[in-house]
Amino acid sequence: MCEEHVNPRISTTVTNKPKQVEETQSMLEWVKRFVWSERMLAALGNGVKGGKWYALIDKVWKLENLTAAWKQVKGNHGGAGVDRQTVSWFDKNSEKELAKLARELQADTYTPNPVKRTWIEKNGSKEMRPLGVPAVRDRIVQTALRNVIEPIFERTFHEHSYGFRPKRGCKDALRQVVGLLTDGHHWVVDADIKGYFDSIPHEQLMNKVGEHISDGRVLNLVEAYLEQDVMDGLETWTPEAGTPQGAVISPLLANIYLNQLDHLMGEKGFEMVRYADDFVILCKTGDKAEEALAIVTQWTKEAGLTLHPDKTKIVDENTDSFEFLGYRFKGGKHFPRAKSLKKLKDSIRKKTRRQNGKSIEEIVKALNSTLRGWYGYFKHSYKTTYPSVDGWIRRRLRTILVRRTMKRSRWRFTQNDHSRWPNAYFHALGLFSLELTFAAECQSRRRN
């Protein structure tokens, strides 16, 4: 029995609301209600005068919003910025520091610190990519700002944009891709925007933000983050384009800038699936794929962006492969891409070094944590993916056992080692098996 029949008071409350407002509230269940009041949600549902929002800065400096933003930043941990204030330090002084931030925002004296640049390894590559680390206090203000403006733009985003959006994620995008391939959309425009986050033109981005927001102080705050100095060691400079990678507000701004492209492709009848700056366009014919690529090429040029000449291509998925969100698609099947497998194996190697001083039980426990997480994402891969990975992991474990129990000049795996420690031995230890887990889930799905 539905809840309406059980509790008539709930039914009355719901049906008394305008239908559009009710739909808007249902769509935006994730919004921060201490920022977005019933009146604001009603305005969001019915539309605001001129399509623009005024007087939002007071929602940003609201202490309740800053406090909630601080809790989000604290939960994400993260390092200190150029001011060297750690999350732990801020935690001890949070009441005083949050009140100080509120006063600075209200008095219009708040200024972001420079962003500290660090370099991290690219997945499956020897190259390094830059990452910006804002100060803790700046991450808090950015989060509070996002709490205020995200619902305004979220309502405008296309349904086939999945990256960094509430209640959406990689698996939703992948399901859409698989569904389109199954439906015969096997010609794929595999597009790559060269250095997207570092190349978004500031003026054009601010124009897009200004299409929906007219509060000058909020616009100035967004612009201040775009123009934050970057400090790399002793060198400091001011970026002329792009959004700082690592900044809380950057994913939202990146989605705002590509939103026009999402709608353009949808209006022209193309099936585009986008996750942040990673997107594919799936078509039923090669001619339509060529047409789609021509439109995207023209749009990116006008938007001040560049498609990567080597990484952007048209693929017939029946005969060739393309990669998207960690998967490789070819011939109706999908597998983890080579970089995804390499990343898993690199992680396994660190936990199965021959000189590992931990017991085999501890090693297995540590491996299981990694394997369960990896399988949770890649469990939709084709069945041939798993046996070879399982076998490779068991061989590494046998090598550890050989070193600990046998005296050899060389620590090579032999058939005798397989007999001494068969697969059943590792199963008894509780080692997570990708192959067996996949088989069990397939059997369960067939029964149901």
Side-chain angles (χ1 to χ4, degrees), residues 407-421:
K407 293 183 178 180
R408 292 185 189 167
S409 58
R410 295 183 181 179
W411 309 107
R412 286 187 177 177
F413 170 77
T414 68
Q415 189 58 40
N416 288 337
D417 299 327
H418 186 283
S419 301
R420 185 174 184 184
W421 296 289

Side-chain angles (χ1 to χ4, degrees), residues 176-284:
Q176 181 69 11
V177 168
V178 171
L180 289 166
L181 290 171
T182 303
D183 193 42
H185 294 74
H186 58 88
W187 284 92
V188 182
V189 179
D190 186 3
D192 183 277
I193 300 177
K194 190 174 182 180
Y196 174 61
F197 280 87
D198 291 329
S199 59
I200 302 173
H202 288 171
E203 184 177 355
Q204 289 174 252
L205 173 58
M206 289 305 304
N207 288 339
K208 293 184 184 299
V209 175
E211 289 175 3
H212 295 283
I213 293 177
S214 284
D215 187 322
R217 292 174 68 180
V218 167
L219 293 174
N220 289 340
L221 194 56
V222 173
E223 195 164 20
Y225 287 125
L226 294 178
E227 296 176 353
Q228 273 178 283
D229 286 345
V230 177
M231 185 176 291
D232 189 353
L234 298 176
E235 186 181 358
T236 303
W237 73 95
T238 303
E240 297 180 357
T243 63
Q245 294 194 50
V248 176
I249 201 73
S250 286
L252 174 61
L253 296 177
N255 275 334
I256 290 171
Y257 200 68
L258 286 179
N259 189 41
Q260 182 186 9
L261 177 61
D262 295 336
H263 286 281
L264 174 64
M265 301 309 290
E267 289 163 5
K268 291 187 175 293
F270 290 105
E271 297 287 356
M272 175 168 154
V273 183
R274 182 173 67 81
Y275 190 95
D277 61 330
D278 194 0
F279 64 91
V280 288
I281 305 165
L282 297 98
C283 308
K284 287 193 172 182

Side-chain angles (χ1 to χ4, degrees), residues 43-249:
L44 194 65
N46 295 322
V48 291
K49 187 177 181 180
K52 294 190 177 185
W53 287 78
Y54 299 81
L56 294 171
I57 191 65
D58 61 310
K59 312 295 188 299
V60 179
W61 76 55
K62 189 177 181 180
L63 191 57
E64 192 174 3
N65 187 19
L66 290 171
T67 301
W70 155 237
K71 289 178 181 177
Q72 290 176 263
V73 171
K74 180 181 176 181
N76 292 333
H77 305 292
V82 295
D83 60 1
R84 299 185 181 181
Q85 290 183 359
T86 63
V87 169
S88 297
W89 180 91
F90 200 97
D91 195 21
K92 295 173 184 175
N93 302 275
S94 60
E95 187 174 342
K96 180 181 71 175
E97 290 298 317
L98 290 173
K100 182 181 176 183
L101 276 176
R103 288 194 302 270
E104 290 179 6
L105 287 164
Q106 190 169 5
D108 206 18
T109 58
Y110 166 80
T111 302
N113 290 285
V115 173
K116 183 173 74 174
R117 171 157 287 188
T118 59
W119 296 84
I120 60 175
E121 291 183 1
K122 283 187 175 182
N123 289 340
S125 172
K126 294 181 180 179
E127 294 180 35
M128 304 291 284
R129 72 178 181 91
L131 182 68
V133 182
V136 173
R137 69 194 313 267
D138 296 330
R139 301 206 292 269
I140 293 168
V141 177
Q142 285 188 35
T143 304
L145 175 63
R146 186 188 63 192
N147 290 345
V148 174
I149 69 172
E150 186 174 36
I152 296 170
F153 292 98
E154 176 62 27
R155 192 167 174 270
T156 73
F157 289 157
H158 196 277
E159 62 178 326
H160 290 163
S161 163
Y162 296 93
F164 305 106
R165 294 183 60 188
K167 297 190 174 183
R168 285 169 170 254
C170 292
K171 290 189 177 181
D172 300 305
L174 290 166
R175 272 191 290 268
Q176 181 69 11
V177 168
V178 171
L180 289 166
L181 290 171
T182 303
D183 193 42
H185 294 74
H186 58 88
W187 284 92
V188 182
V189 179
D190 186 3
D192 183 277
I193 300 177
K194 190 174 182 180
Y196 174 61
F197 280 87
D198 291 329
S199 59
I200 302 173
H202 288 171
E203 184 177 355
Q204 289 174 252
L205 173 58
M206 289 305 304
N207 288 339
K208 293 184 184 299
V209 175
E211 289 175 3
H212 295 283
I213 293 177
S214 284
D215 187 322
R217 292 174 68 180
V218 167
L219 293 174
N220 289 340
L221 194 56
V222 173
E223 195 164 20
Y225 287 125
L226 294 178
E227 296 176 353
Q228 273 178 283
D229 286 345
V230 177
M231 185 176 291
D232 189 353
L234 298 176
E235 186 181 358
T236 303
W237 73 95
T238 303
E240 297 180 357
T243 63
Q245 294 194 50
V248 176
I249 201 73

